[in-house]
Amino acid sequence: LIGDPGAAVRWGLPVVRAVVDLTLAVTLGGLLLLAAVVPQRSPAWARAAAVVTAAAVTWALGSVAWLVLAFAEALGAPLSDPAFGDRLAFFATEVEAGQLLAVGAVLAVVAATVPAAGLRTPTGAAWALVLTLVAIVPVALGGHASGTAGHRTAVSGWGLHAVGIGAWVGGLLVVALLPRLLGRDLPATARRFSALAGWAFVLVVVSGVALATTRLPDLAALGSTYGLLVLAKTAATLALGAAGWWHRRATVAALDAAGSRATALFWRLVAAEVVLMAATVGLGVALSRSATPPQPPDDADVLVATGEVAPPLPLTAARFLTETRFDVLWLVVVAAMLIAYLRWVARLRARGDEWPLGRTLSWLAGCAVLAWVTSVGPAAYAEVLFSAHMVAHMVLTMVVPPLLVVGAPVTLAVRALARRRDGTRGPREWLLVLVHSRPAAFVSRPVVAAVLFAGSIVVFYYTDLFGLALSTHVGHELMQVHFLATGYLFATVLIGVDPGAPRPAYPMRLMLLLGTMAFHAFFGVSLMSSEALLQAGWFTSLGLGVDALADQRTGGGIAWGIGELPTVVVAIVLAVQWSRSDEREARRSDRTADRDDDAALAGYNAMLGRIGAEVERRQQ
């Protein structure tokens, strides 16, 4: 029933999509190399920048062509159709698939402007990398699995998959052009890219498994033909990764002493990466072409609105603690936080340095609570029950941040990470750049942090931002990032020990804590007494048989009451820090007095003596 758009579209669309995928990967992987792997002083940096620039421009042009050809295929009309332009405008502005392609094309063009203007520093490469990652989002939202149940996992999984493939494939393609230009920097560059490729491989495997789970209705489906294929191909991929890790480790270790054989060893490393990469992608393609188990029917209203199956109701304490709605994005983030922190602690202890156990336990607790709130009970119910959403909000802003701040991750990282001495910016250098940047200094000011922490509640809940967070995946993820970030900033101002902006005096910190908590209490009371339902169209359209207004009032009580315990804990920590600060100041004063025979006190007494003598002289 659909017309033939012509040979140009039939052949051009798959070619354009392949070009877009390839150039996106080269852009992403190449920018990572420029930002953190290749020394800027090396001639290889200029070569890599030129390759990235060409790839980024091609990616941007290809994204525009993809929009045009995809519309022609959907319309079934050739490009020469007289009404093609008007219909294309309608497709790009009114149809969801067209909107995603159009936004993706615009973002690709924006991201390509930085390389096109000239890449000269790692900072410029980092900004271009951020824009490239943003441009991936619309493509992930329009992925082939994003319209099925498990929308959250499908979108996040596809985005992580694209980042992993881009860092691995694109980075390999760019680094393969550089061995002769790297010279004596070849071993260090190969070592850094090897580490990057290893993490990218893990990301590809984890996101691939997450995408496969969207086609499995439950754990019992692992016994189906498709489930067994998932298990078998996951095991095969992990075996490939282990073999690749062994080969990579041996080859990179040999590069340092290879001398004139360094280039040959480098090409052996590249060849092994190509084999591993091809096998991994091949297994993924085979899995994507396998028949999947049938999905069970579910509540259509909730599925259409949220992209997820309806959670079981009524809500009980047991369900709230155990019902899962895994968010692969946050699980990856939490896993990275845990692995990095524990590796840094192990590195310190291996060289004989100590790290307080209490800080480690606090960090582990914060990661555990973060995983729970983003992938278990609150994550399952937050989009359908306001009360569950408010629990997630309060935990993300008032429970997780203090636990993470007490862990002092920046101090640990600065002590544990190796310092780069060849002009490149590794994790340690980038961390210090971010901590001491002007934006970080601005948002870390006490008043700014307090306003973001408390004032953004009004902006969020009483505008359409709340609706976007409920109805869109991107809005939901940005909401969680905002809650966590503002809570972390505020907790850092109050009880943080990491390097950063100067912190206010302890009385000022206590006043900020009490003031913001009073604001939270006022917000909760206003919700409890309100007769107006926030986002009424959303909560009343789900058809769950829940009294939405009563649930909102419950959420108001949660906003009022759940903050009391974290506030008391933070106040206790603040009081302990205040007391220890006074003790340290007293000890410092005592040591100074011992060194100079209490010169400060002697000078003060001498001043009092002069004042007394002057008073007596005037009285006479």
Side-chain angles (χ1 to χ4, degrees):
L1 298 179
I2 299 178
D4 182 11
V9 175
R10 287 199 313 272
W11 290 89
L13 183 57
V15 171
V16 165
R17 289 200 60 175
V19 169
V20 167
D21 290 344
L22 181 61
T23 52
L24 170 58
V26 171
T27 301
L28 195 153
L31 289 171
L32 273 173
L33 295 178
L34 293 172
V37 175
V38 179
Q40 188 180 2
R41 56 174 167 73
S42 171
W45 204 93
R47 168 72 65 83
V51 172
V52 168
T53 299
V57 172
T58 305
W59 165 48
L61 296 175
S63 298
V64 176
W66 183 6
L67 168 64
V68 175
L69 295 176
F71 171 65
E73 182 188 52
L75 183 64
L79 301 176
S80 57
D81 189 307
F84 188 86
D86 294 336
R87 294 176 177 176
L88 176 62
F90 178 83
F91 176 72
T93 56
E94 301 296 334
V95 180
E96 183 179 5
Q99 291 172 343
L100 293 174
L101 287 173
V103 171
V106 171
L107 292 176
V109 171
V110 172
T113 57
V114 177
L119 288 171
R120 298 177 180 85
T121 64
T123 301
W127 278 113
L129 178 61
V130 171
L131 294 174
T132 302
L133 294 175
V134 172
I136 291 176
V137 174
V139 186
L141 289 171
H144 67 278
S146 62
T148 63
H151 172 79
R152 185 183 305 172
T153 299
V155 172
S156 296
W158 197 99
L160 293 172
H161 213 62
V163 172
I165 290 290
W168 191 10
V169 177
L172 182 63
L173 291 174
V174 174
V175 82
L177 302 174
L178 308 179
R180 296 188 181 278
L181 295 174
L182 284 167
R184 59 187 175 85
D185 294 315
L186 179 59
T189 301
R191 187 182 305 108
R192 292 165 187 165
F193 174 72
S194 174
L196 177 65
W199 285 110
F201 171 81
V202 172
L203 190 59
V204 169
V205 173
V206 171
S207 58
V209 171
L211 287 171
T213 62
T214 62
R215 301 165 179 248
L216 295 170
D218 49 43
L219 290 177
L222 286 173
S224 65
T225 301
Y226 182 80
L228 294 175
L229 281 171
V230 170
L231 295 176
K233 290 173 181 176
T234 300
T237 304
L238 292 176
L240 283 168
W245 172 81
W246 175 85
H247 178 271
R248 187 186 298 129
R249 184 180 181 183
T251 304
V252 170
L255 274 173
D256 289 320
S260 59
R261 295 180 55 249
T263 302
L265 282 173
F266 174 80
W267 284 114
R268 192 176 82 178
L269 176 66
V270 170
E273 286 294 326
V274 169
V275 173
L276 174 62
M277 187 187 307
T280 303
V281 174
L283 287 172
V285 171
L287 187 62
S288 70
R289 299 297 298 170
S290 304
T292 60
Q295 298 288 333
D298 197 75
D299 191 307
D301 292 334
V302 176
L303 184 60
V304 169
T306 67
E308 304 288 342
V309 295
L313 291 172
L315 177 59
T316 63
R319 285 173 174 172
F320 197 64
L321 291 174
T322 60
E323 184 68 23
T324 58
R325 188 76 82 238
F326 294 122
D327 189 329
V328 64
L329 176 62
W330 284 101
L331 290 178
V332 167
V333 169
V334 171
M337 291 166 60
L338 283 172
I339 293 171
Y341 195 95
L342 294 177
R343 285 186 66 188
W344 295 340
V345 172
R347 192 173 300 172
L348 284 184
R349 293 185 175 176
R351 71 187 189 200
D353 293 338
E354 293 295 328
W355 183 254
L357 178 61
R359 295 200 182 280
T360 302
L361 294 178
S362 180
W363 182 266
L364 296 179
C367 290
V369 177
L370 179 59
W372 174 77
V373 77
T374 54
S375 291
V376 192
Y381 289 92
E383 291 176 315
V384 297
L385 294 176
F386 183 86
S387 56
H389 166 87
M390 191 53 63
V391 171
H393 178 170
M394 292 294 107
V395 171
L396 280 170
T397 56
M398 302 181 67
V399 178
V400 176
L403 292 171
L404 297 180
V405 167
V406 170
V410 177
T411 301
L412 175 62
V414 171
R415 290 180 59 188
L417 290 171
R419 180 179 299 175
R420 298 269 184 97
R421 302 186 184 279
D422 61 355
T424 58
R425 287 182 181 174
R428 185 180 189 276
E429 287 73 20
W430 274 116
L431 181 61
L432 291 175
V433 166
L434 293 174
V435 168
H436 296 296
S437 64
R438 290 183 178 179
F442 175 75
V443 298
S444 298
R445 293 177 179 177
V447 175
V448 176
V451 169
L452 290 174
F453 179 71
S456 59
I457 294 178
V458 176
V459 177
F460 177 77
Y461 284 102
Y462 293 100
T463 65
D464 289 336
L465 292 176
F466 185 29
L468 290 173
L470 291 170
S471 60
T472 67
H473 179 71
V474 175
H476 176 76
E477 299 292 12
L478 290 177
M479 172 197 71
Q480 295 190 110
V481 171
H482 172 78
F483 288 162
L484 184 63
T486 54
Y488 189 90
L489 280 172
F490 189 63
T492 299
V493 169
L494 295 179
I495 58 175
V497 296
D498 282 331
R503 294 177 177 86
Y506 284 98
M508 181 63 179
R509 300 189 202 184
L510 186 59
M511 290 177 60
L512 285 173
L513 175 63
L514 297 178
T516 53
M517 293 309 102
F519 188 89
H520 269 85
F522 176 79
F523 170 72
V525 171
S526 67
L527 287 178
M528 293 174 64
S529 59
S530 176
E531 297 293 334
L533 181 63
L534 299 178
Q535 296 300 319
W538 173 268
F539 287 109
T540 58
S541 67
L542 299 177
L544 296 177
V546 175
D547 186 339
L549 185 58
D551 185 64
Q552 177 176 294
R553 290 171 177 166
T554 301
I558 291 171
W560 182 19
I562 201 173
E564 292 184 1
L565 180 59
T567 302
V568 171
V569 173
V570 171
I572 292 173
V573 173
L574 190 59
V576 171
Q577 290 181 342
W578 192 350
S579 175
R580 289 178 177 176
S581 175
D582 289 343
E583 291 176 0
R584 287 194 299 269
E585 181 63 25
R587 289 195 298 267
R588 187 191 66 79
S589 299
D590 291 342
R591 288 194 299 268
T592 302
D594 291 339
R595 286 195 302 269
D596 59 13
D597 198 20
D598 212 354
L601 180 59
Y604 181 72
N605 289 334
M607 180 190 68
L608 292 179
R610 289 193 299 271
I611 294 174
E614 179 65 21
V615 170
E616 290 180 1
R617 186 185 64 80
R618 291 185 178 182
Q619 288 177 348
Q620 293 174 357

